[in-house]
Amino acid sequence: MATDISYLSQEIQAELAQPNARHDPAIIENNAPLAKSIFHDAKEATEAEHKLKPVKGLRKYPKAVFWSVFVSLAVVMDGYDQSFLGSLYAEKAFQKHFGKPFKKGYQVPAPWQSGISNASSVGVIIGILFNGWISERIGMKKTMLGAYVAITGFIFILFFAESKAVLLVGEFLCGIPWGIFHTTAPAYASEVCPVILRAYLTSFVNLSAIFGQLLAAGVLRGVEGMAGRWAYDIPFAIQWIWPVPLFIGMLFCPESPWWLIRKGRVEDAEHALQRLSTGADTRQAIALMTRTTQEEKLTVGGNFFDVFKGTDRRRLEIAFCAWGIQTFSGLPLQGYNTYFFEQAGLDDSNAFGLSIGYYAIGFLGTVLSWFLLTSFGRRSIFLVGLSCMCVVLFTIGFVAIAPSTNRAADWAQSILLVVWVFLYDISVGPVAWTIASEVSATRLRRPTIAIARNSFYLSSIVWGVCVPYLLNPTAAGLKGKTAFVFAGTCLIAVAWTYFRLPETKGRTYEELNILFWRQVPARKFKDESVDAYDEEQFVNPVVDEVLEKRAETHEHKAEAHL
């Protein structure tokens, strides 16, 4: 049974032929039918996307680049806290105030290390889920403004904390706005930039987090050896630097045009596009957004739980695993790098100094990843990087078997961990953000990112409990041999990547929809030919096929009940 979709053009005309429709830039001259106008404009927009080169894209969309970077800067706060909190456990003044006597010094008990570290992750999970719901309803701009106000207040709790319990509560509450920042930044970047710039600006979120980590390492180096509570209160107070200027800037930030199209605010979407580009044809871009959105309305649900249905379940799996692999490939060791270096045998000064170099190398790796993203696909970079990281982790584990008196082995472990972070930040770190940001349907982007990003934090909670026990000399005390654990999980991640991760480079969102609707195997995505405009009709033929299959499925179910 074939499904008649000839009414779609009339439905679109009725939907757009509202009072604002006369201002719709997709309406073509000479009284041509609206559907034909949208078809040709969307086709031209797609062709223009494929012809655009990086340098020309920067010249054409400088304002989109600026606002994408601006929104991503909020992630600096989370990167800063996650880094310096783990390093504070190695800071003498913090150990003395919040820890217990251990040998010749103090140690914060492993259960409290796990609890405090995981408190922010729990908060982030709540913030991410909340953002997946609220930002789709009120928009990115209002959501971010509220989050900036909240984080400014919650920092007071951290600054004035006198006990481990209050510190835990403060970390939990701060985690909620951090979760909003983490999911808003990649979604916004993926929606305001052209295809050619999408990888650079979605991966910039990773660079923002690293900048926060590098800043934290520098601050901790500055307060090293300082006596009294200012040794750890100064790092907490520095977090107030960010929210106020970011709040002021956000007042002038354009809303996502894709979100405005989904809300039927075509004129506002055109205005937002004009603010985001220089000399771009907004009519064609609006047509492509409208066409893609209307096709998704037919085949993709708009409910939060629709991400678990049909081909969108596969898209969720890809985003979920891409981010989850970040932790299973060894990232939890990064939050404890200074502590790891100390347990590996380095003195305090060398441990803090090496941690600064550690984050600087990570920063450099992310910048270099942009050059790789220009020449290679997401899948290739992710797979090769992950494989190299796995080899390094096994090497760290074997080196750690050496006697504790072997100083060369101590330095070798620490330097290899720096090599690991370089490999991570040139591949899996930034590329995971790009994959997760562009793999979902546009109507389900926010819930997909919300659920997928939580894979990172849920696994971080598990590792946040395990890693302190694995490293801490009062618990398992595995020290460098902890790398064996992550080498094993990293190897599993390599296998998943090979069989399940598709190549998304250079595809518009409409083309990605077609590839998923056709159920193309992951390893064939790169070479699969896609033409959404081989027939002159508003909705491309693949949508017709999806509707036909859906109708046949309903018929079979109806017959089965007879």
Side-chain angles (χ1 to χ4, degrees):
M1 173 184 172
T3 305
D4 183 12
I5 60 171
S6 61
Y7 69 91
L8 289 174
S9 292
Q10 288 80 12
E11 180 182 281
I12 301 306
Q13 290 187 48
E15 186 168 318
L16 293 181
Q18 300 300 320
N20 285 337
R22 62 179 180 275
H23 304 296
D24 186 351
I27 295 179
I28 200 167
E29 295 83 359
N30 302 323
N31 299 316
L34 178 61
K36 184 176 182 180
S37 167
I38 293 177
F39 173 88
H40 287 294
D41 283 345
K43 182 177 181 180
E44 290 178 14
T46 300
E47 292 172 351
E49 288 272 22
H50 289 307
K51 292 177 182 177
L52 194 64
K53 301 300 181 183
V55 175
K56 191 173 181 180
L58 289 171
R59 292 174 181 170
K60 201 171 185 179
Y61 295 92
K63 290 178 281 188
V65 172
F66 170 81
W67 286 116
S68 174
V69 168
F70 178 82
V71 172
S72 297
L73 287 177
V75 179
V76 170
M77 289 184 279
D78 183 40
Y80 176 90
D81 183 87
Q82 294 298 323
S83 173
F84 94 81
L85 185 62
S87 297
L88 274 182
Y89 298 134
E91 212 279 327
K92 301 304 182 185
F94 185 85
Q95 289 177 338
K96 185 174 181 180
H97 187 89
F98 293 99
K100 293 181 178 180
F102 178 75
K103 294 184 178 180
K104 295 181 180 181
Y106 294 85
Q107 283 281 343
V108 178
W112 276 106
Q113 284 190 31
S114 298
I116 294 171
S117 299
N118 286 330
S120 62
S121 295
V122 174
V124 166
I125 289 172
I126 294 172
I128 286 174
L129 292 175
F130 178 69
N131 185 57
W133 172 77
I134 192 66
S135 61
E136 186 62 29
R137 281 156 180 75
I138 68 174
M140 175 279 300
K141 191 170 180 176
K142 292 179 180 178
T143 304
M144 289 290 280
L145 288 172
Y148 286 138
V149 173
I151 191 66
T152 303
F154 294 152
I155 292 172
F156 279 95
I157 300 174
L158 297 176
F159 184 78
F160 290 104
E162 290 288 345
S163 67
K164 294 185 286 291
V166 175
L167 196 61
L168 186 148
V169 171
E171 285 291 322
F172 166 74
L173 292 175
C174 284
I176 296 174
W178 288 334
I180 292 174
F181 301 150
H182 261 289
T183 46
T184 298
Y188 186 75
S190 68
E191 292 185 346
V192 301
C193 299
V195 171
I196 194 65
L197 300 180
R198 205 164 57 197
Y200 310 123
L201 293 169
T202 51
S203 63
F204 183 84
V205 181
N206 188 69
L207 191 67
S208 296
I210 295 173
F211 180 75
Q213 294 163 358
L214 183 60
L215 179 64
V219 170
L220 287 169
R221 177 73 173 185
V223 300
E224 181 194 354
M226 186 181 293
R229 64 173 298 149
W230 284 108
Y232 52 87
D233 273 347
I234 287 176
F236 282 128
I238 285 176
Q239 293 181 97
W240 275 313
I241 292 175
W242 296 98
V244 175
L246 291 178
F247 179 93
I248 295 171
M250 184 56 62
L251 294 172
F252 304 96
C253 184
E255 185 58 81
S256 164
W258 281 91
W259 180 79
L260 292 168
I261 287 290
R262 290 196 295 272
K263 295 301 178 182
R265 296 164 55 182
V266 179
E267 189 174 2
D268 291 337
E270 180 188 6
H271 178 65
L273 279 173
Q274 289 170 347
R275 291 188 60 199
L276 290 165
S277 61
T278 301
D281 192 330
T282 56
R283 182 184 71 177
Q284 294 178 354
I286 288 289
L288 180 57
M289 291 179 188
T290 301
R291 176 181 167 91
T292 303
T293 300
Q294 291 300 331
E295 289 172 352
E296 289 184 358
K297 281 185 178 180
L298 295 169
T299 57
V300 178
N303 187 284
F304 192 93
F305 296 100
D306 284 325
V307 296
F308 297 103
K309 300 177 182 177
T311 57
D312 293 296
R313 182 171 57 244
R314 179 188 177 190
R315 301 168 89 154
L316 174 63
E317 176 208 334
I318 294 165
F320 190 92
C321 290
W323 266 326
I325 282 172
Q326 289 183 323
T327 60
F328 282 90
S329 62
L331 187 62
L333 288 176
Q334 177 171 294
Y336 293 87
N337 62 78
T338 304
Y339 192 68
F340 177 91
F341 296 150
E342 282 193 344
Q343 299 309 315
L346 302 187
D347 59 38
D348 294 351
S349 179
N350 285 329
F352 277 108
L354 192 56
S355 69
I356 295 176
Y358 179 90
Y359 291 124
I361 290 294
F363 190 95
L364 175 64
T366 300
V367 173
L368 292 177
S369 74
W370 296 341
F371 294 94
L372 291 181
L373 286 165
T374 302
S375 304
F376 303 99
R378 286 82 156 121
R379 172 185 164 90
S380 300
I381 298 171
F382 203 88
L383 182 59
V384 173
L386 201 58
S387 301
C388 293
M389 290 156 59
C390 187
V391 172
V392 171
L393 287 169
F394 272 116
T395 305
I396 292 174
F398 283 116
V399 171
I401 297 175
S404 58
T405 55
N406 189 328
R407 294 293 295 168
D410 295 341
W411 274 102
Q413 292 174 62
S414 301
I415 292 172
L416 282 169
L417 191 61
V418 174
V419 172
W420 177 92
V421 80
F422 175 78
L423 292 170
Y424 172 87
D425 284 310
I426 203 173
S427 59
V428 174
V431 176
W433 288 93
T434 300
I435 293 168
S437 301
E438 63 188 8
V439 75
S440 67
T442 62
R443 280 171 59 81
L444 295 176
R445 175 161 293 120
R446 282 167 175 76
T448 299
I449 288 178
I451 296 171
R453 186 57 184 164
N454 272 336
S455 70
F456 175 88
Y457 285 100
L458 287 170
S459 55
S460 291
I461 289 176
V462 175
W463 290 117
V465 173
C466 297
V467 171
Y469 281 95
L470 294 172
L471 290 174
N472 200 305
T474 66
L478 291 181
K479 300 181 180 180
K481 291 188 283 292
T482 303
F484 278 131
V485 178
F486 288 105
T489 55
C490 189
L491 191 60
I492 295 172
V494 170
W496 178 90
T497 301
Y498 180 78
F499 291 106
R500 298 293 293 170
L501 182 65
E503 181 55 70
T504 56
K505 180 183 179 182
R507 303 287 194 180
T508 66
Y509 292 128
E510 184 178 29
E511 290 169 340
L512 287 173
N513 285 342
I514 293 171
L515 289 167
F516 281 107
W517 290 337
R518 287 180 179 171
Q519 299 181 359
V520 176
R523 286 173 286 172
K524 296 183 179 180
F525 255 60
K526 181 180 179 180
D527 300 319
E528 185 76 7
S529 176
V530 177
D531 184 1
Y533 301 92
D534 59 352
E535 294 182 27
E536 190 165 314
Q537 58 186 66
F538 181 78
V539 178
N540 70 64
V542 179
V543 176
D544 194 10
E545 295 173 12
V546 173
L547 294 174
E548 286 181 4
K549 290 179 180 178
R550 185 175 296 174
E552 290 173 1
T553 300
H554 288 318
E555 280 187 359
H556 291 320
K557 287 183 178 179
E559 291 173 359
H561 282 88
L562 293 177

